[in-house]
Amino acid sequence: MTIYGWIQILLYCGILVALVKPIGGYMYRVFNGDRTFLSPVLVPIERGLYRLSGTNEKEEQHWAVYTTGMLLFHLAGFLLLYALQRLQGVLPYNPAGMTAVEPGLAFNTAASFITNTNWQNYSGESTMSYLVQMAGLAVQNFMSAAVGIAIAVALIRGFARASGRSIGNFWVDLTRCTLYVLLPTCIVLTLVYVWLGIPQTLGPYVDATTLEGAKQTIAVGPVASQIAIKMLGTNGGGFFNANAAHPFENPDAISNLIQMLTIFVLGAALTNVFGRMVGNQRQGWAILASMGVLFIAGVIVCYWAEAAGNPLVHALGIDGGNMEGKETRFGIALSALFAVITTSASCGAVNAMHDSFTALGGMIPIINMQLGEVIVGGVGAGFYGILMFVVVAVFVAGLMVGRTPEYLGKKIEAKEVKMAMLAILCLPLAMLIFTAIAVVLPSAVASMANGGPHGFSEVLYAYTSAAANNGSAFGGLTGNTPWYNLTGSIGMLMGRFLVIIPALAIAGSLAAKKTVPASAGTFPTDGMLFVGLLVGVIVIVGGLTFFPSLAVGPIVEHLAMIHGQTF
């Protein structure tokens, strides 16, 4: 590790924290229906959309109606994206002549993009036409991100309201998030990325002649607009197979900094939205501090492991850190930081190959995802995910002091705790069961490029990434097979909807409750004591659930590596 590496990391953290309050304040006004600086332009468009769709912006919904609208919207998005892929060969804007995507891969890709996972069992530049990239994948990047934020805001309303029957209107929340937050920001980001050298064109791929006289086809396309939303919406699916390691997606240190900031900024700002909506911004800062503790711990371990390098390489007389799979324009510090950011969020974009990280360096991304990506997390998804742990944490606090748990004046009772645990435990269910089957099923084992503990880690990473709706991968696993396409899709759908539905049920339950005034026995949830409790609950629940799988994979691989053994 170097002082320059830590300066870059601390600079990133400082800029991110500085953005939380202004962006949080803007989002708070958007979801409250207050006037913003974009209102003169966007309010007429917003109202026009409501008239076209028959939506009454003043009419709020019961949590069950809100949930039904969300599920139907996802179903429509799935069918549309699947159809676009299957009909790709006869649709326009296909200059490279891409053929129809085969059914299993199309199903997996549709499930992946509607769930904000963006797991890609294909190379974008050789599989998807411009039309599918724009009208299919990019549209779902916007929609899945907007849904995540809408669900988080609905859950916040559950904590903020008292004796109510509604938690907002799904269609209004979806429209406002897309129109006021995602679209304007992405327009600006797209222009910045074009200025930095990222392509944005509908022209055909470019044929070039190399210095050696060989012919080469250079893939281009509407890249900049895709990168803008894939990072801001924590989607992560790359236009190119190499993702953010490709110079046409992430050309230099400036684009890399912007992309890292956009991955985290909306998720972090939601903590401020939470504080404003419940009438106490310290509550939001306490949750952000909990996220920050876990994030910094992950950065320290990952950066140290990669900077320390591989003992097997050192034994050959080659000193230095682990640069395998990394871009020299980013180096070890920014590669490790990006890896921790993208797996703390549900982004999945990569500027280095995680499969080439050291055993402990690669373990941190797995841990981040196995904790439910609650360290900022995906836009919206990370926040409603950490609120599930908040419910469990205040329940534990209530047990310790022998009184009914309370949070923000709401009594946390059996229903809320059960729903929270359902949301938390569905992730290990999908991650571990499918991993256990895959490592003994011959057709699934055949997809593993490596044996031993690293091969196990490849499979564990794949199902962890799918269920956590992340989308990154250890590249040694061949995922485009019937088994991985089907089970990966199931994992992604479980990880999305078996968390969202309990979260909305909790929102509806809490919104209907009366607010109880704080008393001398009320556990304070806006200070460092609560931060410590919340971090402890997250780590203990995650550790008890996932340590055996980590012990079989990355930890055994690390022990073997330091003793000079390879697999």
Side-chain angles (χ1 to χ4, degrees):
M1 293 190 290
T2 67
I3 185 64
Y4 298 108
W6 278 112
I7 289 173
Q8 294 175 92
I9 292 169
L10 294 176
L11 176 64
Y12 167 81
C13 293
I15 296 174
L16 178 68
V17 172
L19 291 172
V20 166
K21 195 165 184 177
I23 294 179
Y26 174 75
M27 294 176 68
Y28 169 75
R29 291 189 292 276
V30 167
F31 288 104
N32 261 11
D34 299 337
R35 184 178 177 84
T36 71
F37 71 97
L38 291 175
S39 294
V41 176
L42 297 181
V43 165
I45 299 174
E46 179 188 1
R47 290 175 178 168
L49 291 172
Y50 294 151
R51 284 195 294 270
L52 286 173
S53 61
T55 300
N56 182 356
E57 65 177 305
K58 303 297 183 183
E59 181 181 329
E60 295 206 341
Q61 298 169 328
H62 185 270
W63 79 267
V65 178
Y66 199 102
T67 303
T68 302
M70 177 272 300
L71 292 174
L72 291 174
F73 183 74
H74 277 89
L75 177 61
F78 176 90
L79 294 175
L80 177 61
L81 182 52
Y82 182 83
L84 281 172
Q85 293 176 85
R86 296 291 293 134
L87 298 172
Q88 174 176 263
V90 298
L91 294 174
Y93 296 106
N94 186 7
M98 307 292 186
T99 58
V101 181
E102 64 92 11
L105 179 58
F107 183 91
N108 181 273
T109 303
S112 174
F113 277 77
I114 68 164
T115 58
N116 199 247
T117 307
N118 289 37
W119 175 274
Q120 294 174 288
N121 277 335
Y122 62 89
S123 297
E125 65 266 44
S126 61
T127 307
M128 300 297 179
S129 70
Y130 290 171
L131 181 68
V132 174
Q133 291 271 19
M134 295 185 297
L137 306 186
V139 166
Q140 289 306 315
N141 283 348
F142 277 97
M143 296 300 98
S144 64
V147 169
I149 295 174
I151 301 303
V153 171
L155 181 55
I156 293 171
R157 292 192 187 111
F159 285 101
R161 294 179 176 182
S163 302
R165 292 181 51 82
S166 63
I167 57 172
N169 185 308
F170 172 73
W171 307 109
V172 172
D173 290 341
L174 182 74
T175 301
R176 286 177 176 168
C177 183
T178 305
L179 197 59
Y180 288 88
V181 179
L182 298 179
L183 272 174
T185 309
C186 285
I187 290 172
V188 174
L189 286 172
T190 299
L191 295 175
V192 171
Y193 288 147
V194 170
W195 172 64
L196 290 172
I198 297 178
Q200 181 70 19
T201 178
L202 293 178
Y205 290 1
V206 177
D207 293 322
T209 302
T210 68
L211 293 176
E212 293 81 11
K215 298 295 182 180
Q216 181 180 4
T217 299
I218 301 175
V220 292
V223 184
S225 55
Q226 180 91 335
I227 304 311
I229 184 56
K230 92 162 191 178
M231 297 301 188
L232 184 68
T234 62
N235 300 280
F239 192 96
F240 301 101
N241 188 45
N243 209 283
H246 196 292
F248 280 1
E249 285 202 17
N250 192 6
D252 55 30
I254 297 175
S255 65
N256 193 64
L257 175 61
I258 294 171
Q259 290 180 22
M260 290 192 297
L261 286 169
T262 52
I263 291 172
F264 259 10
V265 69
L266 295 185
L270 276 170
T271 62
N272 188 259
V273 176
F274 175 75
R276 291 173 187 267
M277 282 192 168
V278 300
N280 181 358
Q281 291 190 43
R282 286 173 55 88
Q283 299 286 348
W285 289 114
I287 292 177
L288 184 62
S290 303
M291 295 174 173
V293 169
L294 295 168
F295 173 69
I296 294 299
V299 171
I300 291 172
V301 175
C302 189
Y303 184 22
W304 165 79
E306 295 307 297
N310 190 330
L312 298 176
V313 175
H314 295 168
L316 300 176
I318 303 173
D319 296 327
N322 177 33
M323 277 297 294
E324 180 185 347
K326 298 179 178 64
E327 298 295 306
T328 54
R329 67 185 185 277
F330 303 135
I332 291 175
L334 294 183
S335 298
L337 177 62
F338 200 110
V340 177
I341 292 169
T342 195
T343 52
S344 295
S346 67
C347 185
V350 295
N351 74 350
M353 299 301 105
H354 295 183
D355 197 31
S356 296
F357 277 31
T358 61
L360 294 185
M363 181 179 71
I364 297 303
I366 296 177
I367 290 174
N368 288 340
M369 294 185 290
Q370 288 181 339
L371 292 178
E373 291 178 327
V374 297
I375 310 170
V376 178
V379 284
F383 192 74
Y384 61 70
I386 201 169
L387 285 180
M388 299 300 101
F389 281 102
V390 167
V391 169
V392 176
V394 296
F395 173 70
V396 170
L399 291 178
M400 289 191 292
V401 299
R403 58 177 290 159
T404 302
E406 296 175 14
Y407 185 60
L408 303 176
K410 299 292 183 74
K411 290 189 178 295
I412 304 299
E413 298 173 305
K415 178 180 179 180
E416 290 79 33
V417 176
K418 289 176 182 177
M419 288 293 103
M421 288 308 302
L422 173 62
I424 291 170
L425 293 178
C426 75
L427 296 181
L429 177 69
M431 295 172 185
L432 300 182
I433 289 180
F434 284 134
T435 298
I437 297 172
V439 295
V440 296
L441 187 68
S443 60
V445 172
S447 293
M448 297 162 55
N450 299 277
H454 190 70
F456 175 84
S457 295
E458 289 176 348
V459 177
L460 176 65
Y461 195 112
Y463 286 113
T464 298
S465 178
N469 295 152
N470 183 270
S472 63
F474 274 3
L477 184 73
T478 301
N480 189 17
T481 67
W483 166 260
Y484 284 107
N485 278 332
L486 176 60
T487 56
S489 299
I490 295 172
M492 289 183 280
L493 295 170
M494 289 176 64
R496 180 74 163 180
F497 299 112
L498 292 186
V499 177
I500 284 180
I501 295 174
L504 288 173
I506 291 174
S509 176
L510 292 175
K513 293 186 177 185
K514 296 179 180 180
T515 302
V516 179
S519 64
T522 300
F523 180 69
T525 55
D526 58 359
M528 292 309 297
L529 180 61
F530 178 72
V531 170
L533 175 64
L534 180 56
V535 170
V537 167
I538 294 171
V539 171
I540 291 171
V541 171
L544 291 175
T545 307
F546 291 109
F547 180 77
S549 65
L550 295 174
V552 173
I555 294 175
V556 170
E557 183 181 356
H558 174 71
L559 294 174
M561 185 174 66
I562 62 178
H563 288 92
Q565 298 180 22
T566 60
F567 295 92

